[in-house]
Amino acid sequence: MATAWRGIIFGVLILGGTLPAAPLPGARNRILSEREMLHTRLVAQLEELAARCEQRGQTNAASEIRRLAAPDVDLDDLPGSVRPAVTLALPADERDWQAVLRKAQQEYAAELFRLSQQAVREGLPSLAFHLVRETAFHDPDHAVARRLLGYVRSGEEWTTPFAALMQRQGHVWHERFGWLPRSHVQRYEQGERYYQGRWMSAEKEAALRATIANGWVVESDHFRVKTNVSLERGVELSQALEDLHRFFTRNFADLFNTPQQMQQLFDDGKPRTVGGSDKHEVWYLRSREEFVRLLRNKQTGVEGINGLYLPRDRRAYFFANPEDPQGNLETMYHEVTHQLLSESSRTTFDIATERDFWVVEGLACYLESFDRSGDRLTVGDPTHIRLYWARERVVAEQWFLPLREFASLGMREFQFGSDYPTLQKYYSQATGLTHFFLHYQEGRYRDGFIQYVAQLYSPDKRVRLNPQSLEEILGVSSETLDAQYREYIVALPTQPAAAIPVGTGP
């Protein structure tokens, strides 16, 4: 089963001008060892409490207590409401176990938060955010942890800043139609629509919005989706994009902060929006024909692709493909990954023009496997078609380009310097390598790999054009990495062969 990093929004951040601080030797192991010691103590406390509840016949309470001590708890399972106080109004037995449980969890959460601050100081922001998530799981009303995860308190609720704004303006959330004035909900459900200052039928509104210029605009915390397909589809895509955003900014937080910004963030608990504060803009068109007509003067070869991000427009473009809705989503995840990284800076610049271009496409292809299953966000399914072909290149075709040679390819050489079958192989290996560096031996190379990516997207031209190699960052020779990759990719599970999805890349 694929490793899944799951969590909550961190907020809008920006790439810093310097590289993330290199982790101090042994720092990760020291912090993880202390966390394990603390967790072992918590488990013992909770087991003792659960046993006491069982003796009193409080079997449901015992089960709940043991669930909180389980090693595979969902750290994203945070309550939307502020927890009520343990008061004298509760029955004595219930008040007793709830008070003991809450005290144990709050003490554990305080220690976890201390460790998260230590992780930041020692150059381990990914670990720090994992600890922040666990802090909020055990103490859902930990104000600083909640703010770091992108929540604000609105009355007795924890919500996002945009949702809080909508609520203050008298809007309510509707699963199909998104945010609506409370007074509009019933009429929308009956088939009416409010457009251009008057009420009309849904069919009339759709006819008036047939062109993208008049399309629906769906706003969320981080995106502005414009579409002439339907309001409902715009809302669906908006939610999928927010899922991707909170996953991406959580798991790749290292990309968006200098060490100084990260330290200040953890010192006072206030997320910074130091740049790139405008929402990411996405256009979703009715048809391929409209997509091509709109973009043919902006991008060569647009007839053969399913989506496109144009840095100079600071906009991602897609079109509806009813025959392949999953492919629609995967193309969107691919291109919006480019968008999130590109728009982390106020200025637009070329990325990996001279070398290391495999990382740009590898990370975007990797994010195509992003998926929401219930309340869980996952990525890196080893049976995804991109990973299937990464394995096939090595196992069945006996094709592999050594990392040192592969990393020497810049954008033009990678994308235009070879025939189409070779380009397909490049994309496959880029995806496989990304999966390897993020997942190998439970993330052994993950922080170093993210540091490697951060260089390529740094606003500092000196850093961007003179990146350290993975060999230098990881302290491992490219020959060793090549051998480890081959062993890793061969061991991935397989699935039946299928065509590579048509998209911006092979």
Side-chain angles (χ1 to χ4, degrees), residues 56-110:
R56 294 173 176 175
Q58 299 169 305
T59 55
N60 290 338
S63 296
E64 173 61 17
I65 292 166
R66 289 193 173 108
R67 183 189 71 83
L68 295 172
D72 60 346
V73 292
D74 182 2
L75 298 182
D76 300 334
D77 187 18
L78 300 180
S81 301
V82 174
R83 292 195 298 184
V86 180
T87 68
L88 293 175
L90 292 171
D93 284 353
E94 183 177 352
R95 185 173 68 245
D96 175 58
W97 73 258
Q98 284 201 22
V100 173
L101 173 63
R102 187 165 300 189
K103 182 174 185 293
Q105 286 188 286
Q106 288 177 337
E107 290 176 349
Y108 177 60

Side-chain angles (χ1 to χ4, degrees), residues 326-372:
Q326 182 59 32
N328 253 191
L329 282 177
E330 293 189 4
T331 299
M332 182 177 73
Y333 295 147
H334 181 115
E335 296 302 331
V336 172
T337 296
H338 290 315
Q339 184 176 28
L340 292 175
L341 286 166
S342 180
E343 294 180 5
S344 61
S345 174
R346 290 183 182 275
T347 58
T348 299
F349 41 77
D350 293 330
I351 304 297
T353 54
E354 301 300 321
R355 56 172 291 115
D356 301 298
F357 190 77
W358 74 267
V359 181
V360 175
E361 291 302 333
L363 191 58
C365 289
Y366 170 81
L367 263 296
E368 288 178 21
S369 65
F370 176 74
D371 182 58
R372 182 185 186 111

Side-chain angles (χ1 to χ4, degrees), residues 258-330:
T258 65
Q260 294 78 15
Q261 286 172 321
M262 185 69 80
Q263 184 62 59
Q264 188 174 7
L265 175 71
F266 272 75
D267 282 344
D268 65 14
K270 297 176 182 178
R272 297 294 189 263
T273 54
V274 291
S277 58
D278 290 342
K279 295 182 181 183
H280 305 293
E281 191 163 348
V282 172
W283 283 22
Y284 186 67
L285 302 151
R286 279 189 170 185
S287 66
R288 177 183 291 276
E289 292 72 25
E290 186 178 14
F291 174 81
V292 171
R293 188 167 60 250
L294 179 68
L295 296 172
R296 63 160 53 101
N297 294 329
K298 295 175 177 280
Q299 180 72 30
T300 59
V302 72
E303 297 81 3
I305 61 178
N306 283 349
L308 179 67
Y309 171 65
L310 290 179
R312 58 183 175 273
D313 288 2
R314 297 180 80 84
R315 184 181 298 147
Y317 299 91
F318 310 94
F319 61 88
N321 183 359
E323 297 179 359
D324 188 11
Q326 182 59 32
N328 253 191
L329 282 177
E330 293 189 4

Side-chain angles (χ1 to χ4, degrees), residues 146-219:
R146 280 284 197 168
R147 287 200 299 270
L148 287 169
L149 296 172
Y151 288 100
V152 295
R153 181 168 172 171
S154 178
E156 295 302 304
E157 302 294 320
W158 289 105
T159 187
T160 69
F162 184 74
L165 173 64
M166 290 293 97
Q167 290 164 0
R168 289 196 299 273
Q169 293 178 351
H171 288 64
V172 295
W173 175 254
H174 192 285
E175 288 298 323
R176 289 176 59 204
F177 307 122
W179 289 104
L180 290 175
R182 187 180 300 275
S183 61
H184 288 190
V185 172
Q186 185 175 1
R187 298 184 72 167
Y188 264 68
E189 290 178 341
Q190 293 172 346
E192 294 184 84
R193 299 293 183 267
Y194 191 77
Y195 182 51
Q196 296 180 333
R198 60 193 177 92
W199 286 97
M200 62 188 69
S201 69
E203 293 76 16
K204 178 68 178 294
E205 185 198 33
L208 292 174
R209 292 187 183 275
T211 64
I212 192 65
N214 296 327
W216 291 270
V217 176
V218 179
E219 291 202 42

Side-chain angles (χ1 to χ4, degrees), residues 355 448 451-452 455 466-478 481:
R355 56 172 291 115
Q451 181 180 336
Y452 176 55
Q455 297 175 101
N466 298 282
Q468 290 178 288
S469 69
L470 276 166
E471 290 179 273
E472 294 172 305
I473 293 172
L474 301 176
V476 181
S477 72
S478 63
L481 293 172

